[in-house]
Amino acid sequence: MSTITSTPVSLTEGAINEIRRLMAEEGFDQSQLLRVGVKGGGCSGMTYILGFDQPTEEDERFNIEGIPCIMNKSHQLYLYGMEVDWQGGLNSRGFTFSNPNASKTCGCGTSFAV
């Protein structure tokens, strides 16, 4: 596992606040790091991964505003420059992804194609 000095993705203030809130919850496993990634599937071909996980040998580590993050090295190709935001409204609640590498996205906002 390696550490990169620049962050391949960015988090908005809203996303940072929500992630910190989740990390501060009782019972949170402090050994887990924020995983940002992709997996095959979804209506556009690929789906975003955002959650807490254990690091693996294939991961690179980076830090955003004190939040320890991991990403599989091969996922940077799809995610470099992406911004993650948190929407807390009544109509739209959850994390959103703004990915400059996506050639097509679906209506749900969690699936994309390159």
Side-chain angles (χ1 to χ4, degrees):
M1 183 174 347
S2 62
T3 302
I4 53 179
T5 55
S6 64
T7 59
V9 299
S10 63
L11 303 173
T12 65
E13 183 178 345
I16 290 169
N17 291 338
E18 180 62 14
I19 292 165
R20 285 184 178 152
R21 184 192 69 75
L22 292 169
M23 292 173 70
E25 285 189 356
E26 186 176 330
F28 178 77
D29 181 354
Q30 296 293 327
S31 71
Q32 293 190 337
L33 309 177
L34 181 67
R35 177 172 297 283
V36 183
V38 296
K39 66 179 180 179
C43 46
S44 293
M46 299 187 92
T47 303
Y48 296 110
I49 297 171
L50 184 69
F52 297 101
D53 197 8
Q54 297 292 332
T56 68
E57 285 298 316
E58 293 81 37
D59 290 331
E60 290 186 318
R61 291 179 182 241
F62 56 99
N63 207 298
I64 301 176
E65 298 286 327
I67 298 170
C69 304
I70 50 177
M71 177 186 292
N72 185 295
K73 295 172 189 174
S74 65
H75 294 189
Q76 281 194 46
L77 172 69
Y78 306 108
L79 300 178
Y80 194 83
M82 181 178 75
E83 179 183 79
V84 179
D85 190 17
W86 168 258
Q87 300 291 317
L90 294 174
N91 294 334
S92 166
R93 185 172 182 86
F95 289 100
T96 61
F97 307 89
S98 177
N99 186 348
N101 305 302
S103 63
K104 180 175 122 182
T105 60
C106 70
C108 69
T110 61
S111 180
F112 71 103
V114 289

